[in-house]
Amino acid sequence: MTATVRGRFAPSPTGPLHLGSLVAAVGSWLSAKAAGGEWLVRMEDLDGPRVVAGAADGILRALERYGLAWDGSVAVQSERTALYEAALARLRAAGLAYDCGCTRAEVARAAGAPDASDPAEATVYPGTCRNGLVPGRTPRAVRFRVPEGTIAFADRVRGNVEEEVARAVGDFVVKRADGPFAYQLAVVVDDAAQGVTEVVRGGDLLSSTARQIALQRALGLPTPSYAHLPLILGPDGKKLGKRDGALPLETLDARRVGETLALALRLLGQEVVDGSPAEILSAARESFAAARIPAGPLAAGGARP
């Protein structure tokens, strides 16, 4: 019996759904539904200070307006911390997680990049606490002990991708100094617990994939297939996001819902028919072809920058 394809859309409720996140939602929905599978929605709300009250409900309303119906109940990461605690305990027991007393600034200085905007991600951790805390330090973050070697995977849009995580980022944070579990660990645990078989998401997360595969292997969890969609760029040439002040998609009138849905499909290289949002989606599901999805970034209007 063929296993059920199960995809997911996992937004952070830090603002309203915008065109860039709509493209990710439509792409993941089409991929799962064209294969006769299920499509889940998960709210990734672990970064408490950035969560906007009411944003999660607004995102769900927008998905409903676009006809993007999800299967089952909506998972909420802040309600799943026991799963992350258990995974972290397994990593510790295997000697694959350790306490780190370094601040971000110290990591940046040690890596020779004092001006890094986000030292925790932009620099290679030098392994200062790998063999134990520096005397006088107290534990802050918890890091994953990255194994040597290259991680390779076949991305359905980008092709073959390889990365030596130990050299690209070093031992990375799985629980932050301010308490919350890090995205990398939470997403790996959630995808496995929810039986996700394919991850279709924005291209900005391509750089996280090798780290997530390393964690999957360390925890003995299955690795889903991956497809990283083109980044949608704003007028400034940067990733289109909530900062760009786009109209919340749940407030658009019916005509513009159809227009923005058609635009999202064109950005994904898919065929578009005239009709209601339901008719547009139904036709796109029948004709969906992952091979037509462009790999490079696109301007919000559909042109390459």
Side-chain angles (χ1 to χ4, degrees):
M1 183 176 177
T2 303
T4 299
V5 170
R6 184 172 288 170
R8 49 76 161 176
F9 175 56
S12 297
T14 55
L17 196 76
H18 56 83
L19 180 62
S21 49
L22 177 65
V23 168
V26 170
S28 59
W29 186 92
L30 281 176
S31 181
K33 292 301 181 178
E38 299 174 343
W39 187 68
L40 311 179
V41 172
R42 180 172 72 229
M43 290 294 165
E44 299 194 335
D45 63 341
L46 290 180
D47 194 353
R50 296 183 62 235
V51 171
V52 174
D57 289 339
I59 289 170
L60 297 179
R61 286 195 300 271
L63 294 177
E64 290 173 338
R65 293 200 71 199
Y66 281 84
L68 297 168
W70 56 90
D71 296 290
S73 58
V74 176
V76 180
Q77 281 191 331
S78 58
E79 299 172 358
R80 301 167 65 84
T81 54
L83 293 175
Y84 315 142
E85 289 282 7
L88 181 57
R90 289 170 59 191
L91 291 176
R92 284 190 183 275
L96 295 175
Y98 61 89
D99 292 325
C100 175
C102 301
T103 65
R104 288 185 174 189
E106 289 167 340
V107 172
R109 284 197 298 272
D115 296 325
S117 60
D118 187 353
E121 296 293 335
T123 62
V124 179
Y125 179 66
T128 307
C129 300
R130 207 170 206 258
N131 298 314
L133 288 171
V134 174
R137 295 289 182 87
T138 56
R140 291 175 53 82
V142 180
R143 291 183 181 271
F144 173 62
R145 192 182 301 274
V146 175
E148 295 289 333
T150 299
I151 288 180
F153 62 96
D155 189 279
R156 290 164 57 200
V157 174
R158 307 302 180 96
N160 294 324
V161 180
E162 296 184 358
E163 183 179 295
E164 288 188 69
V165 181
R167 285 165 175 72
V169 295
D171 295 346
F172 56 88
V173 171
V174 288
K175 191 173 186 183
R176 291 171 14 190
D178 54 352
F181 286 92
Y183 164 76
Q184 309 295 358
L185 180 64
V187 72
V188 161
V189 171
D190 284 335
D191 283 344
Q194 294 184 281
V196 170
T197 64
E198 63 173 34
V199 173
V200 179
R201 60 189 180 186
D204 55 320
L205 292 170
L206 178 64
S207 61
S208 291
T209 306
R211 278 174 278 179
Q212 291 168 14
I213 293 174
L215 281 171
Q216 289 158 0
R217 293 175 179 176
L219 291 165
L221 301 176
T223 295
S225 69
Y226 288 95
H228 287 86
L229 305 175
L231 278 181
I232 310 305
L233 307 180
D236 59 359
K238 297 180 180 179
K239 175 190 169 186
L240 186 71
K242 303 175 183 74
R243 62 178 169 75
D244 295 295
L247 285 173
L249 297 187
E250 76 268 23
T251 67
L252 296 183
D253 61 44
R255 178 182 60 81
R256 293 198 62 193
V257 167
E259 290 175 353
T260 51
L261 177 57
L263 175 57
L265 288 168
R266 292 190 185 97
L267 289 167
L268 290 168
Q270 304 304 304
E271 296 178 5
V272 180
V273 302
D274 293 330
S276 67
E279 292 168 334
I280 293 171
L281 268 185
S282 178
R285 181 183 61 211
E286 295 302 317
S287 64
F288 175 72
R292 293 202 297 263
I293 299 174
L298 298 170
R304 291 189 179 279

